Amino acid sequence: YAPLSAQTKVKARLYSVIMYLTCSYNVIVMFVFQHLIETSPWGDNAAAIEQQLISHSKLHSSIQRSPEVDKAKVELMKKGDKANQYALDQEWDTLQKMSHGRSNQLREMQHIIEAISREIMWVNMREEEELVFDWGDKNIDLYIPKKQESYSKLMSDLEKKDKDLNKLKLKVDSLLKNPHPASDKIEAYMDTLQTQWSWLLQITKCIHVHLKENAAYSEFFKEANEMYIKLQKAHENIRKKFTSDRNTPLENLLELLKSLEKEKERIMENKRQVQHLVNNSKSIVRLRPRNPEEEKSSCPVMVQALCDFKQDQKVILKGNEGILKDNSQRSKWQVTGPGGLDMLVPSVCLLVPPPNSLGINLANKNEQYYEAILSVWNQLYINVKSLISWQYYVQDLTRINSLTITMLSRMHPEEYRSILKSLETHYSEFTHCCHGSEMFKDEDKRSIESQYTGAHAHYDLLLVQLPAYTRILATKQKEAKVVSTKQDCVKKVVVKKKVVLVTSQSLTELHELRLRLEGAEAGLTQHIHICLAEDGAHDCGLRITQLESVQRDVDSIREEYLCLKEHVLKELENMTDSDKATFLHSQLGLIDERLGSLDECSAAYLHRLRALRALLQSVSRAEDIIKVHEARLTEKETTSLNPAEVGDYRSTLKSMRAELEGKRAVLVSMETELGKAVHWNGQVGGAFHRCDVDLSRYSEQVNQLSDRWRRIQSQIDSRDLEGYLHLLRQYTTTSSILSEWIGATRQKHEALQATKIDTITALDEHLNQQKVLNSEINGKRESVVSVLGDTDACVNSIKVYELELASYSAGLETLLNIHMKRTMLQSPSTKLTEETTLLQTRYIELLTLSGDYYKYLGELHNNMEALKMRNTRIDLLEEELQLLKEDIEDHNAKNSSLEEALVRYRLELCQSQEQLLSVEEVKRSTALQCSATQDSLASTHGQLKELQEQVARLTSLIEEEKRKRRMADERYGEQQDEHKQVLRRRQKELEQANWAKMEVEKSVGAREREAEQLRKQLEEEVQRFKELEQELSKTSCLIQSTQTQYNEMVMERDALLLKLKQTNQDRARSQKLQEELNNMKVSLESELRIKLRLQEENEKVKKDFLYWKGQYESKEGEVRQFNSEKEKLEQERSSLKTEIERLMRELREVEESYKSRLLITQTQFSELTSVRDSLEAELRKLRERPYAFAKHTQTDEKKPMTVKGLREEVSVTDLMNANLLEKSDMDQLKEGKLTSQDIEDRLRSYLHGSTCIAGVYNEANDKTLSIYQAMKEGLLKPGTTLELLEAQAASGFMIDPVNNLCLTVADAYKRGLAGAEFKDKLLSAERAVTGYKDPGTDKIISLFQAIEKGLIEKGHGIRLLEAQIASGGIIDPRHSHRIEVVTAYKKGYFSKEMNQILTDEGDDSKGFFDPNNQDNLTYLQLKKRCIIDQKTGLVLLSIKKKKEPLQPTTQKNTLRKRRVVIVDPDTNKEMSVKEAYDKGLIDYEMFLELSQQECEWEEITTQDGSKRLVIFDRKTELQYDIRELLERRVINQSLYDQYRSQMITLTQFADIITSKTKANRFSTSSSSSSSTSSSKPDGPSSPSSLKHIASISISLACPAEAVVLDGEQSPVGAIFDMEALEKISISEAHKRGLVDSISAQRLLEAQACTGGIVNPSDGRRLSIQEASSQGIIENDMATRLKPAQKAYIGFEDIKCKHKMSAAEAMREKWLPYEAGHRFLEFQFVTGGLYDPELGRRRTIKEALKEGWLDGRGAQKLQDMRHHAKNLTCPKTKLKISYKEAMDNCLVEENTGVKMLQAASASSRGISSPYNSAPGSTSGSRTGLRTGSRRGSMDLGSSVSYVCFGEH
């Protein structure tokens, strides 16, 4: 029984090991699942989260349906292992809770991210709508009300959205408080939403400002324009209504005066509005600079920020100003902000601040207009007032002049004195009112003054005569009295005579005295109106001197008066006449009174002038003091940032105040003198004229000076900078402390970053230090806020101070009406803000770096903790593995002893078998033992089944592990997809992750191999069991006679085998676990290496940051240098602008000359019109005559007779004017003998169809074809086809020869008579019938006029004219019929030169070809070779059958080789060689050379005894004998054989012979000339010796033939050098200076993006690398062409793994818009957009369907007329598009390569911008005038380019 007990122990041990391993396996699986759930990442967007949710749902389902766990539970329950069962349940519940929790968290995160994303999208949509809005001045009256409405709607939407966001914020806060594992991502999304929301709110504030300012802008300009119109009406009203002159009656003048006063009230009503506009104009913003199409001014445009904006550490704050650099993008502007940094700022955030020069000018214009109207009113008022006073004066003057002595004697003295007083008063008023009047000139005033003097003298004379007259009357009354005695009478008579004599003398002296008195009064009257000049004090002194002289005159008059008075009184004592005595007494009293008044007034005037002089002197002194102090106060416009300077300025202000107080006596003196002047001015009065000194003006001046004095004092007092100085010192202290702290902290941070971390302890210490530092940095936030507050306080104080200074200066400008010159204010607030911004930026940078580094250290600490825990688990597993190893070693030792026992038992078995064979008597006992053995064998079979079940269970476990491995692989793949975006940003991390992936895949592969080996081992064991069973069955038959001991040995052996098998399995599993542990160690070590590498990369990033920072500083230096260069360029621009202005002046002069010519032409035209009208009138008279027409009604008589023409009805009169009808025909028409149908039949060839070549007759099949059908069947070349079809279109109609129809081009195109490739050209040719439009006048012009105006090429036009002439005559498009050439020439339809070309059938007019033999013919000659269709009568071109030529004795092959065309550089007209020689453009030698090139070669074979072959030029009569050339060895036999075998043409053969004969002649002449010029080796060669003519002839195909059949065209592949006459590559053309670098790159880009670089030699397409290796392009050009090549081969999309086209790459921002749009244009022009995924072209419709383009982009591509002109034409040096370059190309017939013509000099007379490039040839020409060009081309035959140069 000992062996049985050992077997039982082995089985028990084996089952315990199996259960242990099973439990450990499930624990490890759950640990792996938990690790996967814990370390699973969280998606960055809703799509990624959705994918993660799906993946985790699968994982959760696999966890819930895990059969391994169920089996493990069942096994543990069977074994009763409750401890492991409980542990397994706990782990399983934890795993399920964790999985379920992650599912819920993913759903919560998905919902919240989707909600936040929707809000972000809504905010972004609103933001985009507002950013692209145009706030310019276009349609401002329309968009302001609409925008106000949309703004109100937006604000209401924002209020609603604010509530939604608050609810969303509560949800997010609840998730963050829980906390959610992905709280950092949710918080990042929410931060993004809050940032975008805040930004949208800032934009709404900006919109509010824009609405307010733009509405004010619109309202201002509307009011200003309305005011201007109102002022215009007022001006017109005043000018028309208020007119007057001297003839206007007094009553009308008085009414006019009242109307003027009322009109002034209406004018003054506009003053407030005008002033309001002037004030508002200074606050109107500028809107025109917002328009990118607006012409840029030389002055920089300042912009002001409406809100804070930050871009890449560049900050512009609200209220900051910048300079607008570029506003080509409507939504974002490039602005130079504070600190001179350029940044892109949304245009809605910027305002172009006042002043608006347009608004200010308009307001000033209105103000000036108002002042002008007011001055007009003043002038009118003065005129009317002067006329009224003049009328009153004239009335008084007339009354005085009408007085007689009789009338005066009848009046009382008071009555006639009042008349004189009225005259004097009105005259004084007139003299006062006539100042400034336009009604009275100086001569008029002098005349009126003389009239006044005369009237005064008349009055005085009457007054003197009045006493005598009164005495005579009294004498007559006393004649009747009785005379008492004769003696008494004699005495009385004597006495009377004496008295009369004395009285008359006294009266005369009194009169003289009174005249002198009046003269003194007149001298005093000059001082009534005191008008002082600028030097008022000096003027007062002069007037004082004058008054003193007047006073001296008055004193002398008084003395004389006293003497005269005494004398008169003595006379009065003896005077008996009482009337005379009374009169003398009154005169003396009057003179005495006037003398007293004169003394009083002169004294008052004198005192008043002295007081005024003193006042003016004191005002001058006070004004000087005030001006000095005002100048000192306006010297500074701002303050300083230096506290010392601020203190010094305060001291200066105090000294100014003290100085002003010291000079206050001047102000007091000025006010005192003003009081004296007012006092003495009040003393002037009395009976004399009152002096009207305008003391109010001086009073206002004194008040103004006093006010300015007080303003200076208040300004000095208000400039107390104590508060600002305190704030400045506080800011300086806090900012310097903070700046030093930032610098020191930055050094600490950099020192911490430089510290190397080796252990987790060092990491903890480093983390604590960084935490302390980070806390310290966060704690300084308040300090930063404090500094910002100090800055704001200082800035506000500075702005208030600057505002006060500006207000004071503006007040002075307004008060004194002067303009102060100001410079650009450099406010210290800007510098202060920049310093603070820089300080804040440094702090934010430090805070960001510290926070990022702290987060990095925290993540590193967490990773190292996790690594430490993982290492601990690995150590535990290693301990368990060690225990397993020890158990296995014990089992191995036991197995070895069992194996020894088994060997021993086998030996014993062998001995027993021998004994059994020899012993037969033990059979019965053996049979009994055999039955027992069979029982044991049955039990063994049961055990075997159990083992088989265990093997099946292990197999299922292996399969389940495979499934889990697949799931792990799937999860790994999903995680890998989720991390792709992060891994893309860090390429190096991606490489390390790929290495880790490879290692994991290796480990998984190893696991798969181990599982496969285990499966194979299990299969081998099963096979071994089967073999053992077979052996046991055989043994049972052999050991029937064995003993019981043998059975026990067999059972022991089986147990040992099972034990051995289990031991092997345990060993394999232990090895597997060991390998897994090793793999885990390797993975952990790789992760550690990754962490270290990441740390190194972080350091590299920091170094890169420092490097780029240095690069940025260097770039700033370059920017400053650029600005200096920009200033130089601006100076050059100003000089160019001056030059442009000069040219514009010349242009205006030319325009004026042309205008004068135009006036002359219009005059002539008007004369012609009058002549035509007269003729038409005569014609109408003739028509009104009663004619008896038999075939016409009365209505027909009124209308002019017409017939049907080519396109319209033709008047019979026009036919007669065109000499197509005679006058007799007109008479017959009038008489009814001819009808319109008769006229149409007679002139059918002129009115209807044409006799042009209608089609083709194919002799091979006897078939009539249209010309286009003949081309499609290969009978005609495209060039010939186009010429014949153009001839049809230009002759009137397109002809269908099959159906005999005449059609327009459009109808012919619909019927298929012409293809799409010819449609445009045929429509152009048809305009020769319908007429061309003159671009200047839109009038219909003929074909020749179109040629003259350059609307059509001359050679092409001549061909069309030839076709018209050959088909019936020149077509007059205005009258729709044909005319004869002679008639057209006489009528001036074309010039003499054109007439000579058309009538001459020389070579110059041969523009058509015979397709049968290629002869050059005119159209008429070609028609003569045609046949007439008998059925239709149409002209058909016969195509003869192609027959094999026999061997004729004579061969004649005539071929037009080339036509040389020379272009006149002055008129740009083409001409023949003969015409150029006649005009002196070329010399005779050049004429001979070019004439030789215009040759027609023919081959002639003659028989004159011997057969001779001669080629003969019919043009120049030059011939070559082929035999003679062979004998002279000019040509060789091989060349002749090539010609005979038709390998080369006759033209090529003749060219070779000509060139070789020329070479021989040139070598001979050069050898002879060398001997003559050997004496002057160093001198220059003669011009004749330098002339060399280079010619080349190449065969080219028509561009129409070069179109590829599938619609795809090849790009421009090469350059044709017109000077060297060779095809070269684009790179070579660039080297030669024929093509500029930009155009070269564009042409090569077009090749690369449409299929590859073109090899110019054979036309094959190459890749960039192949072209570079073959030298077709340069290496640096190859680098620049890579994006273009990707547009063809496709851009690799990393996400979708698909090739994107250029349009898709533009949409994904992988390709810049400018380059991408250029590539799309290249592809579209050459056949369509290229799809690299399908490898074919796509149409625009397909591109729209695929979403490559939008409607606008497709329209831009299809509108090829507006493609970007980004190429410089190498020939004309003009800007062209790529489509125009393709159209201008030549196509090489053999290779199909398109060649763009190039020349160093422009064919348009424009100098090349790169003529001086290396390799470019000289632009001079020998024998030709400078600038002339020659060239010829025939698209249907060989082309010859002729160029001349000096070599």
Side-chain angles (χ1 to χ4, degrees), residues 194-290:
Q194 290 178 347
T195 303
Q196 293 297 102
W197 178 257
S198 301
W199 174 236
L200 183 58
L201 294 179
Q202 293 278 8
I203 291 176
T204 58
K205 295 179 182 178
C206 298
I207 294 171
H208 176 71
V209 175
H210 282 300
L211 282 174
K212 184 181 71 173
E213 296 295 340
N214 287 24
Y217 179 95
S218 175
E219 187 66 23
F220 169 78
F221 278 98
K222 188 184 298 182
E223 291 179 356
N225 291 326
E226 291 176 354
M227 176 53 62
Y228 187 75
I229 295 172
K230 187 175 180 181
L231 291 176
Q232 280 184 326
K233 292 180 179 178
H235 183 208
E236 189 69 18
N237 184 30
I238 291 174
R239 190 174 60 83
K240 291 182 178 180
K241 184 177 179 181
F242 301 103
T243 58
S244 61
D245 55 15
R246 295 188 187 184
N247 298 325
T248 305
L250 181 61
E251 293 79 8
N252 295 348
L253 289 175
L254 293 174
E255 291 294 330
L256 205 60
L257 186 64
K258 293 179 181 178
S259 301
L260 275 173
E261 291 173 351
K262 293 179 180 178
E263 187 66 28
K264 185 175 183 181
E265 294 177 358
R266 288 192 290 269
I267 294 173
M268 294 302 292
E269 291 176 358
N270 298 327
K271 182 177 182 180
R272 183 186 61 81
Q273 183 66 15
V274 169
Q275 193 60 40
H276 173 71
L277 290 174
V278 172
N279 296 333
N280 286 356
S281 65
K282 300 175 183 177
S283 60
I284 298 299
V285 298
R286 302 172 63 191
L287 296 185
R288 286 196 177 181
R290 302 187 75 92

Side-chain angles (χ1 to χ4, degrees), residues 1063-1297:
T1063 303
N1064 292 332
Q1065 290 178 356
D1066 293 340
R1067 183 183 301 165
R1069 288 182 179 178
S1070 63
Q1071 290 177 356
K1072 180 180 176 182
L1073 289 173
Q1074 187 174 4
E1075 289 176 357
E1076 288 179 356
L1077 290 173
N1078 292 333
N1079 290 333
M1080 291 179 69
K1081 283 184 177 180
V1082 171
S1083 64
L1084 291 173
E1085 290 175 356
S1086 65
E1087 288 180 0
L1088 182 60
R1089 288 196 299 271
I1090 289 172
K1091 294 296 183 181
L1092 294 175
R1093 190 173 290 111
L1094 288 175
Q1095 187 175 0
E1096 293 176 356
E1097 290 175 359
N1098 189 17
E1099 293 176 355
K1100 290 181 180 179
V1101 169
K1102 292 177 183 176
K1103 292 180 180 178
D1104 292 340
F1105 172 75
L1106 295 175
Y1107 169 76
W1108 288 114
K1109 186 176 180 182
Q1111 290 292 325
Y1112 170 74
E1113 293 175 353
S1114 63
K1115 290 294 182 183
E1116 280 189 335
E1118 293 177 359
V1119 167
R1120 288 192 292 270
Q1121 185 178 0
F1122 169 76
N1123 289 331
S1124 63
E1125 294 177 355
K1126 180 183 176 184
E1127 293 176 355
K1128 295 179 181 178
L1129 291 175
E1130 287 180 350
Q1131 294 176 358
E1132 295 177 359
R1133 179 173 174 269
S1134 62
S1135 62
L1136 289 175
K1137 184 177 181 182
T1138 306
E1139 182 66 19
I1140 289 171
E1141 291 176 352
R1142 184 183 64 80
L1143 293 175
M1144 289 297 293
R1145 288 194 298 271
E1146 295 178 359
L1147 180 61
R1148 285 193 292 270
E1149 294 174 357
V1150 172
E1151 286 179 352
E1152 291 175 356
S1153 64
Y1154 277 111
K1155 285 180 181 178
S1156 61
R1157 293 183 184 177
L1158 181 61
L1159 291 174
I1160 296 171
T1161 306
Q1162 289 177 349
T1163 305
Q1164 295 175 354
F1165 177 76
S1166 61
E1167 294 174 357
L1168 292 174
T1169 305
S1170 61
V1171 173
R1172 186 193 65 184
D1173 295 337
S1174 61
L1175 292 174
E1176 287 179 353
E1178 293 176 2
L1179 184 61
R1180 283 195 298 271
K1181 291 179 180 178
L1182 291 173
R1183 287 176 181 170
E1184 290 173 358
R1185 296 178 181 177
Y1187 291 109
F1189 290 108
K1191 298 182 180 180
H1192 298 284
T1193 63
Q1194 185 177 0
T1195 306
D1196 294 330
E1197 293 177 4
K1198 296 179 181 179
K1199 296 181 180 178
M1201 183 177 294
T1202 59
V1203 296
K1204 188 175 181 181
L1206 291 172
R1207 289 291 189 272
E1208 299 172 356
E1209 293 291 325
V1210 182
S1211 173
V1212 179
T1213 306
D1214 293 336
L1215 296 176
M1216 187 184 73
N1217 294 335
N1219 294 331
L1220 298 179
L1221 289 178
E1222 300 294 334
K1223 189 175 181 181
S1224 59
D1225 297 329
M1226 294 292 294
D1227 296 334
Q1228 291 179 6
L1229 277 171
K1230 294 175 182 177
E1231 295 171 1
K1233 296 179 180 180
L1234 282 177
T1235 64
S1236 59
Q1237 187 63 41
D1238 298 334
I1239 299 298
E1240 288 183 10
D1241 294 338
R1242 184 195 299 180
L1243 302 178
R1244 188 170 190 83
S1245 60
Y1246 293 92
L1247 296 175
H1248 295 294
S1250 64
T1251 58
C1252 61
I1253 300 174
V1256 172
Y1257 175 73
N1258 190 357
E1259 292 183 359
N1261 55 13
D1262 191 20
K1263 186 178 180 182
T1264 300
L1265 304 171
S1266 67
I1267 295 174
Y1268 187 73
Q1269 185 64 30
M1271 184 196 76
K1272 292 197 288 187
E1273 292 184 7
L1275 300 177
L1276 295 177
K1277 290 185 178 180
T1280 305
T1281 303
L1282 178 61
E1283 292 174 353
L1284 294 175
L1285 290 176
E1286 283 182 337
Q1288 284 188 6
S1291 300
F1293 298 95
M1294 302 288 291
I1295 300 176
D1296 184 356

